[in-house]
Amino acid sequence: MAFIRKKRREQQLQLYSKERFSLLLLNLEEYYFEQHTANHIQNKGDQNERKIRGSLKICSKSVIFEPDAISQPIIKIPLRDCIKIGKHGENGSNRHFAKAKSGEISLIFSQVYFIKEHNIVAPYKIERGKMEYVFELDVSGKVEDVVETLLQLHRASRLDKLGDQTAMITAILQSRLARTSFDKNRFQSVSEKLHMECKAEMVTPLVTNPGHVCITDTNLYFQPLNGYPKPVVQITLQDVRRIYKRRHGLMPLGLEVFCTEDDLCSDIYLKFYEPQDRDDLYFYIATYLEHHAAERTAESYMLQWQRGHLSNYQYLLHLNNLADRSCNDLSQYPVFPWVIGDYCSAELDLSNPGIFRDLSRPVGALNKERLERLLTRYQEMPEPKFMYGSHYSSPGYVLFYLVRIAPEYMLCLQNGRFDNADRMFNSIAETWKNCLDGATDFKELIPEFYGDDVSFLVNSLKLDLGKRQGGQMVDDVELPPWARSPEDFLQKSKDALESNYVSEHLHEWIDLIFGYKQKGSDAVGAHNVFHPLTYEGGVDLNSIEDPDEKVAMLTQILEFGQTPKQLFVTPHPRRITPKFKNFSQTCSHNAPMADSPVSPGEESFEDLTEESKSLAWNNITKLQLHEQYKIHKEAVTGIAVSCNGSSVFTTSQDSTLKMFSKESKMLQRSISFSNMALSSCLLLPGDATVISSSWDNNVYFYSIAFARRQDTLMGHDDAVSKICWRDNRLYSASWDSTVKVWSGVAAEMTCTRRQRFDMLAELEHDVSVDTISLNAASTLLVSGTKEGTVTIWDLTTATVLHQIPCHSGTVCDTAFSPDSRHVLSAGEDGCLNVIDVQTGMLISSMTSDEPQRCFIWDGNSVLSGSQSGELLVWDLLGGKISERIQGHTGAVTCIWMNEQCSSIITGGEDRQIMFWKLQY
């Protein structure tokens, strides 16, 4: 996982260096300023005097000496414990002489830490009592400045109030930054143009490193003030794939840059001192990326996940990223759910729903008895109320899981100590049981539990993590009986995460962590209320004037953990889980044979049809114009084709219905019902009758066999804009603000007697309706209005399911996806919007620079007709327009595709119909 890979990269870098120092040796909120080559003189003035070669590090709250010999421990002297700092031998009588001669610095103190002796990671050793250490700098001329710096930092560390300490150290830091600037000699090329330079800090887990940020026309640079871990960090803008604005310390100051598409581990995380600097840098990189990478939203990822193009694991990674979770910020580390609830059985049966955790409840609500106790306390609590006294994700919990791979982080967080051996991450089953039963333990998991690296489960570093009460040493994590090895445990955990049960219920957990049950009354109803300070906007740090109170509150929030940024405010849609599709990350050959409805070696007709459709849509960008004919005097408004494909019927604003023979390439009939425009047409089953809608408020039935108008339905008070027919029912949309449902029998349409129409339902709108469409089962209808509203209707009850105002102008076309899970709408505003049918959530929106008048789609890709006459191919899952195909000389007004998806006909304002073929 991300954290492990980052840690491993650090370890690989250290293989090529003798340096044992890292920023993790500093206290939280401490800065490393500078280093000097020096000797530590032991037993100064004694016959046993000896010099230990190394490096003296000056930090904002401590002095650290790192000996070159790894057998010697690193020495850390807290400045607050210093009694006296000065030149060695400096006193009242010989002070001026000492200034001239001495290259040695003396520190008298009451406490010292010894760290990483023999380069072994272990709890810090502490020695107390009055002591004096002498350090001899290689460059004696720097002693004055170093002593002056140490005295200044010593004064800061001895201030009574923590807020005053922080303010003084911040002032010292800003003064150092102001006296320096980015070294332009570090540019990769002399031709680079500087666009911006500012001060910032590079963020890594638990620590930050101040320096200068510089961006040119080709590169992003960060130069640490202290030159650690290397003189400059450089990222080529061409390699950048994603950037995110971040909250850091509850302030809008963070920016994280990724050069990968699907990784939680970023290439750099920067914290700025001013929001404007962060926003300016973001704008520059985002502008650069506009031409190189598509911006992704939670909704676009949701669509990919729903349609099976992202695994559950990948989707959760993306949601965490979008919700400000970062592996560089342990207070906002990515959060993943417990999905398995059985850690005692010898076998794990993923087909048994009983082995899974209830994903609709937070961890704190899984145990009913504990929940009752918590609710009792909650009801008695004064405002602001909260149900849980601890969070589900915090730095302590993250390092609880990762202590075996990141022990130095744990030592940093806990002042040089590991946790009590019995409270360590000893057993999966014990940890799960404590999450269920513990009074204050409500933690979720981290991504590593569903990754490939087992190192966080194994004590491969042979750390001494202590001895438990029973006498056994803390070593590898104890696995559940159903796991044969750490690798097997991770594989089965991954299989569980990708199982059908989790796929069908993961949206419930997303509602709790990232969605509408995160806050407000829905959170109360879901027993999902945490301390107010954990939520975004829970406290305004800028409004707190007392520096002590501000520092204390920030420390409390960062250590307690933070709730992710809320991504969704309506119920999250369920995943589409096809009956026979296996979503596991493992290979498809692991799926049981019983899952397949077809015997091996056989293919059903449906399979072949779906395969041909899939092939066609995969090659939709290769569409080529085959023939074109100008058969109308005004814009073409509708296209209908006979089952055998030989006859093409079109309507037009010239008020005519025309019948064109594809075989003879001749116009066979031209029929006019009135002098008003016709708006759409369709063929009834059996290909004997054509129905046309008209701006004269009527719907006309034309008998092909008898070559005459057969009937007229006068059912509206304004123009009829669109008609649909399904299962002997006619659906008509009108500018009179209604959609009406009529009964009719297709077979009777062929006879000469007039048809009697009964209105079964009237679906009322506030404004004129311009388009309608039915789902495959004829149970749902979607309508689009003049004012940009898309409405989904339940036809079984004639009631509104969802009303979504998602366009800023007329809705030109709407259609359900083949599986009826989504609705696509195209508008005068140039937008293509995808709406989840179950929840009514707008889950994807893409924009073009012109209106899209009509379209066809398969649920993943769209072929739309634009105002300019081009056909656009849209990749909804990729969030981009993948092809532009030249077509009509005016707007494309209607489009038709055959069932096999191999033939397409378009009509346009240029009065032409065009026949298109797919070239594989």
Side-chain angles (χ1 to χ4, degrees):
M1 234 332 277
F3 191 101
I4 295 174
R5 285 198 293 273
K6 179 180 282 288
K7 179 65 181 169
R8 196 158 280 162
R9 282 208 296 264
E10 292 171 0
Q11 291 171 343
Q12 287 171 348
L13 285 173
Q14 288 184 341
L15 289 177
Y16 302 100
S17 170
K18 294 180 180 180
E19 187 174 39
R20 291 174 289 158
F21 171 80
S22 87
L23 296 179
L24 294 169
L25 300 183
L26 279 58
N27 293 348
L28 297 178
E29 304 297 318
E30 183 176 8
Y31 297 108
Y32 165 37
F33 285 143
E34 60 190 53
Q35 73 165 355
H36 302 276
T37 307
N39 294 313
H40 174 207
I41 305 177
Q42 293 183 336
N43 305 312
K44 176 71 176 176
D46 193 294
Q47 61 179 359
N48 295 321
E49 177 181 316
R50 67 170 181 150
K51 295 183 178 181
I52 298 176
R53 189 77 173 149
S55 173
L56 189 68
K57 323 278 187 182
I58 309 302
C59 306
S60 59
K61 298 180 182 180
S62 62
V63 176
I64 295 175
F65 180 75
E66 178 192 15
D68 291 344
I70 63 171
S71 61
Q72 295 290 325
I74 294 173
I75 298 167
K76 179 178 178 180
I77 306 169
L79 287 170
R80 69 173 181 272
D81 295 324
C82 287
I83 301 167
K84 185 177 181 182
I85 299 173
K87 286 187 173 184
H88 182 64
E90 185 176 64
N91 54 50
S93 61
N94 63 2
R95 179 169 180 167
H96 296 289
F97 175 78
K99 282 185 179 180
K101 298 291 185 183
S102 176
E104 299 169 353
I105 298 173
S106 167
L107 281 78
I108 301 175
F109 50 87
S110 60
Q111 182 169 265
V112 63
Y113 294 91
F114 299 105
I115 306 168
K116 296 179 77 170
E117 188 173 2
H118 297 288
N119 207 21
I120 295 172
V121 178
Y124 302 171
K125 294 176 182 177
I126 306 174
E127 187 175 322
R128 294 183 175 92
K130 187 174 180 180
M131 293 164 273
E132 180 181 14
Y133 277 13
V134 178
F135 299 97
E136 179 187 44
L137 301 189
D138 278 11
V139 183
S140 60
K142 290 187 177 180
V143 171
E144 287 277 353
D145 292 338
V146 171
V147 169
E148 187 61 38
T149 298
L150 288 174
L151 289 171
Q152 192 179 28
L153 293 170
H154 181 245
R155 286 195 297 273
S157 69
R158 298 299 292 265
L159 292 172
D160 292 335
K161 293 185 176 181
L162 188 61
D164 292 340
Q165 291 181 28
T166 302
M168 186 170 176
I169 290 172
T170 300
I172 294 169
L173 169 64
Q174 292 301 322
S175 173
R176 283 174 166 259
L177 287 169
R179 294 197 304 269
T180 58
S181 62
F182 185 87
D183 180 4
K184 308 302 188 296
N185 292 321
R186 295 287 181 179
F187 283 177
Q188 293 290 300
S189 168
V190 293
S191 62
E192 283 185 68
K193 295 179 181 178
L194 175 66
H195 285 281
M196 176 184 173
E197 181 181 347
C198 64
K199 298 174 288 186
E201 295 176 14
M202 188 168 72
V203 179
T204 53
L206 299 181
V207 291
T208 61
N209 201 12
H212 296 275
V213 170
C214 186
I215 191 164
T216 70
D217 53 346
T218 55
N219 290 289
L220 170 67
Y221 297 96
F222 175 76
Q223 186 171 31
L225 185 65
N226 50 36
Y228 179 88
K230 54 183 180 179
V232 69
V233 178
Q234 177 252 330
I235 293 174
T236 304
L237 293 181
Q238 195 170 355
D239 294 337
V240 174
R241 291 294 171 266
R242 296 174 290 143
I243 53 171
Y244 297 99
K245 291 182 179 180
R246 297 292 193 213
R247 286 179 300 162
H248 188 274
L250 298 187
M251 302 291 285
L253 299 171
L255 183 71
E256 195 160 18
V257 180
F258 294 78
C259 294
T260 56
E261 199 59 58
D262 298 309
D263 199 341
L264 262 180
C265 191
S266 65
D267 290 81
I268 194 168
Y269 187 144
L270 296 170
K271 171 202 165 188
F272 295 81
Y273 298 111
E274 298 294 336
Q276 190 61 51
D277 287 340
R278 190 276 303 266
D279 293 344
D280 289 347
L281 191 71
Y282 176 89
F283 177 77
Y284 184 83
I285 299 177
T287 303
Y288 182 91
L289 286 181
E290 276 182 8
H291 309 290
H292 299 82
E295 184 178 358
R296 297 300 182 92
T297 62
E299 289 77 16
S300 66
Y301 285 126
M302 181 202 297
L303 182 63
Q304 293 184 64
W305 171 73
Q306 268 198 295
R307 307 204 71 83
H309 293 260
L310 285 178
S311 67
N312 293 336
Y313 175 81
Q314 290 170 322
Y315 185 46
L316 290 176
L317 285 187
H318 289 306
L319 291 186
N320 272 285
N321 235 326
L322 292 167
D324 278 346
R325 313 303 283 189
S326 167
C327 67
N328 282 306
D329 185 351
L330 297 189
S331 68
Q332 298 187 92
Y333 199 78
V335 56
F336 268 59
W338 290 93
V339 297
I340 298 171
D342 180 358
Y343 295 97
C344 299
S345 299
E347 298 294 332
L348 190 68
D349 181 6
L350 296 180
S351 66
N352 175 15
I355 66 102
F356 291 97
R357 166 257 182 106
D358 183 352
L359 288 165
S360 68
R361 295 171 175 267
V363 168
L366 293 175
N367 182 325
K368 291 184 179 179
E369 292 180 4
R370 179 177 65 176
L371 179 61
E372 288 174 4
R373 294 194 299 270
L374 291 169
L375 288 176
T376 300
R377 188 189 69 174
Y378 173 76
Q379 289 156 5
E380 297 171 352
M381 187 182 293
E383 295 291 344
K385 295 184 175 185
F386 55 90
M387 293 179 187
Y388 308 114
S390 64
H391 206 254
Y392 51 77
S393 176
S394 70
Y397 287 160
V398 172
L399 296 177
F400 168 84
Y401 290 128
L402 296 178
V403 64
R404 289 168 177 80
I405 187 65
E408 290 172 271
Y409 291 85
M410 177 66 85
L411 294 172
C412 176
L413 185 68
Q414 300 201 149
N415 298 315
R417 300 186 304 271
F418 289 132
D419 204 349
N420 180 280
D422 286 295
R423 291 197 298 266
M424 297 283 274
F425 181 32
N426 294 304
S427 158
I428 304 289
E430 277 183 19
T431 302
W432 169 243
K433 186 177 186 303
N434 203 52
C435 289
L436 287 181
D437 303 335
T440 60
D441 193 349
F442 314 108
K443 60 178 170 284
E444 292 278 9
L445 295 181
I446 54 176
E448 280 77 1
F449 278 82
Y450 303 103
D452 298 314
D453 196 321
V454 301
S455 56
F456 76 102
L457 299 170
V458 182
N459 187 14
S460 57
L461 299 177
K462 302 303 178 185
L463 300 168
D464 182 359
L465 298 172
K467 184 181 292 186
R468 304 188 65 182
Q469 284 185 355
Q472 67 271 38
M473 297 296 295
V474 175
D475 198 27
D476 297 347
V477 177
E478 183 183 339
L479 303 174
W482 46 257
R484 296 186 303 271
S485 65
E487 291 79 9
D488 187 49
F489 171 76
L490 289 189
Q491 184 59 59
K492 285 175 177 171
S493 297
K494 287 190 289 184
D495 292 344
L497 181 64
E498 304 302 332
S499 66
N500 281 338
Y501 178 89
V502 173
S503 293
E504 290 167 2
H505 294 275
L506 187 58
H507 65 285
E508 297 171 333
W509 186 82
I510 292 171
D511 284 336
L512 295 169
I513 307 301
F514 304 105
Y516 81 109
K517 290 183 179 179
Q518 187 195 91
K519 298 178 183 177
S521 59
D522 290 306
V524 175
H527 309 309
N528 193 39
V529 182
F530 295 86
H531 195 285
L533 291 181
T534 69
Y535 295 94
E536 184 177 26
V539 62
D540 180 7
L541 289 176
N542 290 325
S543 67
I544 302 174
E545 296 181 0
D546 186 327
D548 281 347
E549 183 184 348
K550 180 182 288 190
V551 171
M553 183 163 287
L554 180 58
T555 302
Q556 178 186 350
I557 291 166
L558 296 181
E559 291 181 359
F560 190 87
Q562 296 176 62
T563 299
K565 183 167 69 178
Q566 190 174 26
L567 299 179
F568 310 106
V569 294
T570 58
H572 191 286
R574 294 181 60 172
R575 188 170 192 181
I576 301 167
T577 51
K579 187 175 180 181
F580 304 114
K581 185 167 183 178
N582 183 352
F583 285 99
S584 173
Q585 288 179 312
T586 58
C587 296
S588 58
H589 64 253
N590 290 335
M593 290 300 294
D595 279 0
S596 176
V598 182
S599 301
E602 294 182 9
E603 284 188 286
S604 67
F605 174 74
E606 290 80 6
D607 290 336
L608 293 172
T609 303
E610 289 303 313
E611 188 176 330
S612 66
K613 290 180 180 179
S614 177
L615 181 64
W617 277 102
N618 287 339
N619 290 276
I620 199 73
T621 56
K622 300 175 184 176
L623 201 63
Q624 291 189 357
L625 181 60
H626 184 58
E627 297 172 328
Q628 60 190 90
Y629 303 95
K630 187 177 289 186
I631 60 174
H632 282 283
K633 296 179 181 178
E634 298 291 342
V636 181
T637 57
I639 301 170
V641 181
S642 60
C643 287
N644 61 11
S646 61
S647 298
V648 178
F649 297 86
T650 57
T651 50
S652 169
Q653 288 183 6
D654 65 10
S655 79
T656 63
L657 166 69
K658 294 187 185 288
M659 178 178 173
F660 180 83
S661 172
K662 193 176 177 184
E663 294 174 350
S664 65
K665 300 179 176 43
M666 298 279 291
L667 183 64
Q668 293 186 322
R669 299 184 195 178
S670 181
I671 308 101
S672 183
F673 301 113
S674 74
N675 61 358
M676 298 286 283
L678 298 180
S679 56
S680 67
C681 63
L682 57 84
L683 267 168
L684 293 186
D687 289 353
T689 303
V690 183
I691 311 179
S692 302
S693 55
S694 174
W695 285 6
D696 67 5
N697 312 351
N698 298 328
V699 177
Y700 296 100
F701 295 79
Y702 175 77
S703 170
I704 300 171
F706 293 94
R708 65 185 183 189
R709 183 171 66 184
Q710 179 176 302
D711 211 338
T712 303
L713 171 61
M714 295 178 284
H716 287 278
D717 299 324
D718 205 336
V720 182
S721 54
K722 185 75 178 288
I723 52 175
C724 297
W725 178 277
R726 193 77 57 77
D727 299 330
N728 295 326
R729 290 187 178 182
L730 175 68
Y731 303 82
S732 57
S734 170
W735 294 354
D736 66 8
S737 307
T738 67
V739 174
K740 295 182 179 180
V741 185
W742 312 85
S743 66
V745 181
E748 295 182 3
M749 297 297 178
T750 60
C751 63
T752 55
R753 69 182 178 84
R754 294 178 66 83
Q755 172 73 19
R756 180 171 177 266
F757 298 98
D758 294 321
M759 189 172 71
L760 303 177
E762 183 173 356
L763 312 180
E764 295 186 354
H765 297 68
D766 295 330
V767 294
S768 63
V769 184
D770 282 79
T771 183
I772 55 172
S773 182
L774 294 168
N775 72 334
S778 305
T779 54
L780 301 174
L781 178 142
V782 58
S783 59
T785 68
K786 181 180 180 180
E787 292 186 352
T789 299
V790 173
T791 306
I792 301 174
W793 299 81
D794 181 350
L795 292 176
T796 61
T797 58
T799 57
V800 173
L801 286 179
H802 307 291
Q803 198 166 51
I804 308 99
C806 56
H807 290 279
S808 58
T810 301
V811 181
C812 300
D813 202 1
T814 59
F816 286 89
S817 59
D819 58 16
S820 300
R821 300 295 186 104
H822 297 116
V823 161
L824 181 67
S825 62
E828 201 173 46
D829 55 4
C831 288
L832 283 188
N833 293 328
V834 181
I835 298 163
D836 181 75
V837 171
Q838 178 197 7
T839 63
M841 181 187 289
L842 178 63
I843 61 174
S844 179
S845 184
M846 294 178 60
T847 307
S848 63
D849 52 8
E850 59 180 333
Q852 300 303 304
R853 299 283 297 273
C854 56
F855 67 82
I856 48 178
W857 75 311
D858 71 338
N860 299 321
S861 301
V862 181
L863 179 67
S864 69
S866 66
Q867 185 70 27
S868 65
E870 285 184 318
L871 295 180
L872 303 185
V873 180
W874 304 69
D875 176 8
L876 291 179
L877 303 179
K880 61 184 179 181
I881 297 172
S882 49
E883 192 65 47
R884 293 177 178 270
I885 304 167
Q886 295 299 317
H888 294 265
T889 55
V892 184
T893 50
C894 50
I895 188 167
W896 172 90
M897 175 185 269
N898 66 343
E899 188 178 355
Q900 293 74 30
C901 305
S902 58
S903 179
I904 293 169
I905 304 174
T906 58
E909 283 187 348
D910 59 3
R911 299 169 286 173
Q912 296 192 95
I913 56 172
M914 293 185 173
F915 294 82
W916 304 81
K917 290 286 186 182
L918 285 171
Q919 304 295 323
Y920 298 171

